[in-house]
Amino acid sequence: MSRSAPAAALGAVAVAALALTGCGTVVAAEPTGSSAAAQITVTDDQGREVVIDGPVERAVVLNSYANEFVRAIGAGDTVVGVDRSSLNRLPYLEITDDEVIAEGLDQINYEAVAALEPDVVVLPRNAVWQEAAEQLEGFGIPVVVATAWDYAVFDDTVDLLGEVFGAEQEADGFQAFADEIQEVVAERVEGLDTVPVYWETAEPYLTVLPGSGFHAIIEAAGGENVFAEAGGGDVQQEITVDPAEVVTRDPAVIVHEYEPAATPTEASAFEATRDELTSRPGWSAIQAVEDDQVYVANGWATSAIAKSIGALYLATWLHPEAFEDVDPDAYLERWVTEFQGTDFAGVDGYISAPGDQG
């Protein structure tokens, strides 16, 4: 991967008679040497006004969803540092182990970040962004909070990243693709009765609440989150529930999503998870189990595009008659090949629906 050389040493740049006037405003600066610098002012998803010395040529991007978005707007070649999960989940990133500067979203090596001399650091709201902003201020490195895993703020996140990376046109193209998916879902589910859904994330009995992103796609897909009123979730608005409560709330559809990984999941793993779900004590009485409506997915598919593709898959499972002529697999393949620039291994490694098991 070709990368731009590190930015010139940090210093004060004189800007004459120019004012910053809101989100995404690009302000020309006085030329320095042979190149003209620019300042980019954005408002991130925490309402913080952040000034970046642009154009962004070197970026540290934490969280795999954000890295997917940055690739989708054609700015993947600016990324010089990522977190461990991004590298593990997205092996097609042109990043080496030496460029991993965070073992987790709360374990950032700030000296390693500074050594990369990025123009900006991008991280989600569930990272230690306040700490990062404070620690990197002394290095003159701006921090932008952009939460690419949340369906509810998808439009704002795409616009924000387009502004940060000077890729507004590419962001519009990405937005148009997502709009196409979301419009298909919205048009088909309008007026349909909602279907009760239990969505389980990576750990057994870990389910989702409003604000999680998953809750938003359940509603968008014409579903009803059976734990919508549970409350008391963690920073990602997820909560571990009593197994008996799932039985009591009797969902008509159950979905278990693995952590996202571009590496395909083996069919045997999908089968083992479905067997474990359906054999839990008392769960044979749940409508979803009785009707064979238990789905298992690799989150690289169902959480793609801030879970937009997950909303489409879920809508087809909840309302099959309304979506009988819609092929969610085709949208997944387009996402992988056109927007991630990598090979598509086929849907079987990412989605396991009833009847798929051998």
Side-chain angles (χ1 to χ4, degrees):
M1 173 178 70
S2 64
R3 295 203 178 91
S4 304
L10 296 169
V13 178
V15 180
L18 295 170
L20 305 179
T21 58
C23 179
T25 302
V26 179
V27 181
E30 293 292 335
T32 301
S34 60
S35 62
Q39 283 192 330
I40 304 164
T41 301
V42 301
T43 301
D44 72 7
D45 80 9
Q46 295 301 300
R48 301 163 57 248
E49 188 174 87
V50 182
V51 180
I52 304 165
D53 290 332
V56 170
E57 297 179 339
R58 297 175 63 82
V60 167
V61 180
L62 306 186
N63 188 244
S64 63
Y65 306 114
N67 274 292
E68 289 176 351
F69 275 33
V70 172
R71 286 181 70 87
I73 63 173
D77 62 350
T78 68
V79 178
V80 296
V82 301
D83 58 304
R84 178 72 60 188
S85 289
S86 288
L87 187 59
N88 290 343
R89 294 175 174 182
L90 311 175
Y92 56 87
L93 292 180
E94 298 174 63
I95 289 289
T96 68
D97 195 69
D98 293 340
E99 295 159 312
V100 173
I101 50 73
E103 292 302 320
L105 295 179
D106 59 350
Q107 302 171 23
I108 303 171
N109 184 333
Y110 297 109
E111 290 184 358
V113 173
L116 291 173
E117 299 185 34
D119 301 308
V120 67
V121 172
V122 177
L123 39 65
R125 67 173 185 253
N126 57 313
V128 288
W129 61 264
Q130 299 99 325
E131 175 188 288
E134 181 180 345
Q135 291 290 328
L136 294 174
E137 182 178 11
F139 296 103
I141 299 172
V143 170
V144 170
V145 183
T147 306
W149 50 257
D150 190 352
Y151 182 89
V153 297
F154 174 82
D155 293 357
D156 292 338
T157 303
V158 175
D159 289 344
L160 173 59
L161 291 175
E163 293 163 0
V164 167
F165 289 93
E168 288 89 346
Q169 184 174 349
E170 293 83 353
D172 287 345
F174 177 30
Q175 180 75 67
F177 176 59
D179 286 347
E180 182 181 343
I181 297 170
Q182 293 168 15
E183 287 167 8
V184 167
V185 174
E187 290 171 1
R188 301 293 180 106
V189 304
E190 186 175 5
L192 298 179
D193 292 337
T194 58
V195 178
V197 175
Y198 169 69
W199 189 292
E200 186 172 279
T201 57
E203 300 297 328
Y205 311 113
L206 182 63
T207 193
V208 299
L209 303 174
S212 66
F214 292 108
H215 174 84
I217 70 166
I218 292 171
E219 292 195 328
E224 177 186 346
N225 180 2
V226 296
F227 283 98
E229 305 302 324
D234 61 16
V235 68
Q236 292 176 260
Q237 293 306 311
E238 296 176 346
I239 187 172
T240 301
V241 296
D242 185 333
E245 272 297 305
V246 183
V247 178
T248 299
R249 297 175 190 233
D250 196 25
V253 170
I254 292 173
V255 181
H256 179 96
E257 185 191 87
Y258 300 144
E259 292 283 357
T263 303
T265 302
E266 295 290 338
S268 59
F270 283 136
E271 292 171 23
T273 298
R274 182 179 285 103
D275 289 345
E276 189 275 326
L277 287 163
T278 57
S279 63
R280 289 175 180 176
W283 280 37
S284 61
I286 296 175
Q287 182 183 346
V289 177
E290 290 181 340
D291 294 345
D292 195 20
Q293 290 297 296
V294 178
Y295 298 81
V296 187
N298 177 326
W300 194 57
T302 42
S303 279
I305 319 179
K307 304 176 178 59
S308 295
I309 291 183
L312 177 57
Y313 272 109
L314 181 59
T316 67
W317 302 335
L318 302 182
H319 307 287
E321 294 86 2
F323 289 86
E324 60 184 358
D325 61 337
V326 177
D327 182 7
D329 300 345
Y331 285 101
L332 177 60
E333 182 171 6
R334 285 181 60 193
W335 164 245
V336 173
T337 58
E338 296 177 26
F339 292 92
Q340 293 305 290
T342 192
D343 294 333
F344 182 54
V347 70
D348 291 348
Y350 305 104
I351 302 292
S352 180
D356 288 346
Q357 62 269 37

